[in-house]
Amino acid sequence: YLLEKSRVVGQQRGERSYHIFYQLCRSPWAPALSLDSAESYRYTGGSGCTTIAGVDDATEFEEVQASLYAMSFSQEDIQWVFYMCSAALHLSNIRF
């Protein structure tokens, strides 16, 4: 995937945004980050596609977290990455 801001704020019908958003919503971190289901956020629920057949977002999240540890990210750095991703989800629901 290209790292582009348009992919964060809008997707085509039936497409998902960045996978980490959906993974975080299904992760053990979700309660600490005050995250609800992916359908609850405009950035993840807007396209109508929050799941992919054959993909377990909770399991994929564990793989992401293990990969971050394998790349020598500190627990604090990993925590901040997840905080920033969850902040983007929370901000998606603000209406002006």
Side-chain angles (χ1 to χ4, degrees):
Y1 289 93
L2 296 175
L3 296 176
E4 54 187 275
K5 63 181 174 184
S6 63
R7 185 145 186 94
V8 173
V9 298
Q11 302 79 42
Q12 298 291 326
R13 191 92 182 127
E15 287 187 354
R16 294 197 336 167
S17 183
Y18 291 105
H19 296 288
I20 191 64
F21 292 149
Y22 305 90
Q23 294 166 359
L24 274 173
C25 288
R26 297 278 322 277
S27 77
W29 285 72
L33 299 171
S34 300
L35 291 174
D36 295 319
S37 68
E39 293 85 4
S40 303
Y41 303 98
R42 199 172 61 157
Y43 289 170
T44 51
S47 73
C49 180
T50 57
T51 60
I52 299 174
V55 174
D56 181 348
D57 287 318
T59 300
E60 298 267 330
F61 174 82
E62 296 301 327
E63 291 176 13
V64 167
Q65 187 169 334
S67 296
L68 292 170
Y69 282 121
M71 292 185 293
S72 300
F73 278 68
S74 70
Q75 176 65 32
E76 183 180 6
D77 288 343
I78 292 170
Q79 187 174 352
W80 276 108
V81 168
F82 296 157
Y83 283 156
M84 293 299 105
C85 289
S86 67
L89 286 177
H90 289 294
L91 289 171
S92 76
N93 287 346
I94 294 176
R95 302 277 184 203
F96 296 95

